């Protein structure tokens, strides 16, 4: 399996937090997708991607429909995507993605955690060089699928030739250029692939070794950040713990 898959597998549970929090986060993503492209999934690729992710996280159908309906309300807040970057304890890089309707509140919350854990919050973009930003698609594998041929079809969209296969789920995960997200999604759908996950991720390109004690401190910091409803995802360049 590839580096990206192993890192995502090792960090997924910590990154997403508790189920209730996950549903809140997906609800915000659905709201943004609906406001941008309307409430009909068949006419809104971004919303289709959100629904696929919601189903993967076992979000009930009623919750999904309610999130779409709420996003259509005139009194709904407009969320903005804002990232925060800095260093936590022991020089570990921390990258925080948020969806917020109040940036003053959000930056205050994030800064308070960095301060509490003796970290240093930097300027936006200051640590982007430490993380590879990728579009990630997971889809059901078809019988007789030639992945080499498929990668050639998608090479213009920046899709990497390294992909990950999950035999238990009978699925394939590919990684591509974030700017080609819509084009990759369209290609998969038009070629009859069942997309079960579509998202963006950040994969650290320089993993940092830590001691068990240092890992515990970073884990506590990440968990504290994830407690905020505005926080969508927290990434670090801490080397995953070996099983």
């Amino acid at each position: 399996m590839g580096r990206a898959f192993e890192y995502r597998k090792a960090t997924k549970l910590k990154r997403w937090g508790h189920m209730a929090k996950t549903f809140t986060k997906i609800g915000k993503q659905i709201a943004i997708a609906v406001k941008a492209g309307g409430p009909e999934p068949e006419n809104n690729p971004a919303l289709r991607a959100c629904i696929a992710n919601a189903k993967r996280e076992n979000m009930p159908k009623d919750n999904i429909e309610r999130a779409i309906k709420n996003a259509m309300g005139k009194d709904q807040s407009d969320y903005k995507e804002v990232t925060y970057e800095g260093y936590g304890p022991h020089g570990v890089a921390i990258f925080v993605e948020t969806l917020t309707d109040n940036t003053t509140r959000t930056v205050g919350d994030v800064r308070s955690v960095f301060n509490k854990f003796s970290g240093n919050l930097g300027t936006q973009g200051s640590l982007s060089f430490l993380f590879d930003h990728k579009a990630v698609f997971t889809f059901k594998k078809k019988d007789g699928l030639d992945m080499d041929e498929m990668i050639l079809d998608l090479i213009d969209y920046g899709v990497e030739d390294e992909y990950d296969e999950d035999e238990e789920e009978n699925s394939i995960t590919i990684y591509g250029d974030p700017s080609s997200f819509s084009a990759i999604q369209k290609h998969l759908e038009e070629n009859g692939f069942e997309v079960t996950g579509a998202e963006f991720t950040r994969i650290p390109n320089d993993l940092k070794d830590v001691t068990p004690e240092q890992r515990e401190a970073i884990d506590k910091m990440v968990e504290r950040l994830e407690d905020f409803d505005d926080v969508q995802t927290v990434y670090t360049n801490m080397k995953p713990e070996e099983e």
Side-chain angles (χ1 to χ4, degrees), residues 155-228:
I155 196 168
D156 289 340
Y157 304 136
V159 172
E160 300 176 356
D161 57 7
E162 183 182 70
Y163 58 90
D164 300 303
E165 183 172 357
D166 189 327
E167 295 183 358
E168 291 184 4
E169 297 292 334
N170 191 37
S171 65
I172 299 288
T173 299
I174 59 175
Y175 304 85
D177 188 334
S179 65
S180 298
F181 187 94
S182 296
I184 297 171
Q185 180 181 358
K186 181 179 180 181
H187 179 92
L188 293 173
E189 292 177 345
E190 288 183 344
N191 284 275
F193 289 98
E194 179 186 351
V195 177
T196 57
E199 61 183 334
F200 297 101
T201 194
R202 298 181 189 274
I203 303 167
N205 54 48
D206 183 20
L207 294 175
K208 186 174 181 62
D209 284 312
V210 294
T211 67
E213 293 77 15
Q214 292 171 340
R215 182 181 304 280
E216 183 178 359
I218 294 296
D219 284 344
K220 286 181 179 179
M221 181 177 179
V222 171
E223 289 169 4
R224 184 68 188 89
L225 286 167
E226 289 178 332
D227 281 341
F228 297 122

Side-chain angles (χ1 to χ4, degrees), residues 19 61 73 113 122 176 195:
M19 190 65 71
K61 182 179 178 181
V113 176
V195 177

Side-chain angles (χ1 to χ4, degrees), residues 9 54 83 102 105 107 121 125 144 159 173 180 184 226:
K9 180 180 179 182
T83 62
N102 186 327
R105 176 192 66 222
V107 69
L121 187 61
V159 172
T173 299
S180 298
I184 297 171
E226 289 178 332

